[in-house]
Amino acid sequence: MSSPELLQFKLSEGAPPRASSGWAVVRVCSAAVNPSDVKAALGLMPHVCWPRTPGRDYAGVVVDGPSEWLSREVWGSGGDLGMSVDGSHARYLRVPVASLQAKPTHLSMDEAGAVGVPFVTALTGLSRAGGLPQAGQVVLVLGANGKVGQAAVQIAARCGARVLAVQRPEGLLPGWTPPGVQVLQPHKLVDAVRELTQGRGADVVFNTVGSPYFAAANQAMGLGAWQILIATQDRAVPFDIFQFYRGQHRYVGIDTLALSSQSSGEALAQLQEGFEARELRPFAVDPEARYPLKEARTAYLRVLAGAPERIVLKP
């Protein structure tokens, strides 16, 4: 089902969409390629309505709509974009006015266009796990080298939490890592967390990988802790019910495909201050990771192959 041969695109020319009441048109300057975009193109998202232009994230300039938004630089994301409505992998994107958010001033278009899904996912997960972390809490991020993991590390650290980050490659986390973040190795995960917290365990576990870390994550959770789950490799996992109720544990599942472009825009609005203050940092976008629309298939294939860098389209 994930064969590269199934990735076939048709690039077509057409008149730009027009804004009607409550809508705006954005000229897309940069749009990230997310794994969910690739899955949608491969037919692995059953709720996608075809034919469809893919793409969930974007940064660009408003060219049609309310006068107060015209010529303004914006950024956005959405679980509906590229799924139930046409998405951002195009020169123009039609979005609800209510979803528009001003782009952070110092972010480039490429940086802003690559923020969306990972940071919205991280913020949504942490917010729903009893509210954003507070000073004194311990947040354990599993799969911290991934894009959502990197975003979760940054957001939790900005909130004042003590962040323990787990990744399989040894060494520093990729991208920017806030001061004070401690990097752990998976094979010593539980012992290290217990030792570093004087036996208390983590208050929040953000499990970006799912089943490979599930058992260890449960053992690393403190009394009343939350575990956030956004993905998995195996759908069925062993579950110790005794450990669950004795630990008073709580679990929250996050699927940002359920978030509209307006809801995602509200999440980006919450992140705006952090990016403006440079307390949150965007993903670096290498010049060789930027592709014109005519090379969209190449960009998609890189994401399908598991490219660690952020890939963007430049319409």
Side-chain angles (χ1 to χ4, degrees):
M1 289 296 290
S2 59
S3 171
E5 288 73 23
L6 296 177
L7 280 174
Q8 301 297 331
F9 295 90
K10 178 182 179 182
L11 186 62
S12 60
E13 294 285 346
R18 298 297 303 272
S20 54
S21 179
W23 293 80
V25 175
V26 175
R27 177 172 57 82
V28 179
C29 297
S30 180
V33 181
N34 293 287
S36 56
D37 300 324
V38 180
K39 290 178 182 178
L42 287 168
L44 301 179
M45 297 289 190
H47 53 287
V48 177
C49 304
W50 296 101
R52 183 64 58 225
T53 299
R56 297 177 63 189
D57 295 339
Y58 68 91
V61 178
V62 178
V63 295
D64 192 11
S67 58
E68 63 269 25
W69 280 103
L70 287 178
S71 300
R72 292 182 64 182
E73 295 183 342
V74 296
W75 62 340
S77 183
D80 49 354
L81 299 180
M83 303 293 169
S84 59
V85 298
D86 282 338
S88 59
H89 295 174
R91 289 196 179 96
Y92 297 95
L93 174 66
R94 187 172 181 266
V95 294
V97 171
S99 72
L100 293 176
Q101 297 293 335
K103 178 183 75 65
T105 53
H106 69 279
L107 296 193
S108 70
M109 284 293 185
D110 287 346
E111 290 171 336
V115 163
V117 169
F119 273 89
V120 169
T121 303
L123 180 74
T124 302
L126 291 170
S127 298
R128 291 185 182 174
L132 287 174
Q134 300 177 5
Q137 287 190 308
V138 175
V139 176
L140 175 64
V141 180
L142 305 175
N145 52 309
K147 293 297 178 287
V148 176
Q150 292 177 50
V153 165
Q154 290 194 38
I155 295 170
R158 181 173 184 262
C159 291
R162 182 183 183 186
V163 181
L164 307 178
V166 177
Q167 63 171 3
R168 292 200 177 278
E170 293 188 7
L172 299 175
L173 294 177
W176 179 72
T177 304
V181 173
Q182 295 173 272
V183 181
L184 310 179
Q185 295 302 307
H187 61 283
K188 298 180 179 179
L189 165 59
V190 178
D191 290 342
V193 171
R194 292 294 174 184
E195 180 180 350
L196 290 169
T197 61
Q198 291 74 51
R200 182 166 64 93
D203 300 292
V204 176
V205 178
F206 204 128
N207 186 349
T208 72
V209 182
S211 55
Y213 282 123
F214 187 72
N218 290 337
Q219 295 176 48
M221 293 170 72
L223 185 66
W226 295 79
Q227 183 174 171
I228 305 159
L229 293 153
I230 65 166
T232 194
Q233 294 180 15
D234 298 318
R235 297 176 65 168
V237 293
F239 187 78
D240 186 333
I241 295 176
F242 181 82
Q243 182 184 54
F244 164 68
Y245 70 74
R246 278 295 174 89
Q248 301 175 41
H249 294 163
R250 291 163 288 188
Y251 297 80
V252 58
I254 300 299
D255 180 9
T256 52
L257 286 171
L259 297 180
S260 67
S261 55
Q262 181 174 343
S263 297
S264 296
E266 291 168 355
L268 289 174
Q270 293 183 57
L271 295 165
Q272 178 95 13
E273 182 180 348
F275 279 103
E276 294 287 13
R278 291 179 167 82
E279 295 169 348
L280 298 175
R281 307 286 179 89
F283 304 111
V285 180
D286 189 275
E288 295 185 0
R290 304 168 186 168
Y291 294 87
L293 283 180
K294 64 182 180 181
E295 296 179 21
R297 186 174 188 273
T298 301
Y300 273 52
L301 287 173
R302 282 188 66 175
V303 174
L304 182 63
E309 63 271 18
R310 203 73 163 116
I311 308 296
V312 300
L313 294 178
K314 301 283 291 178

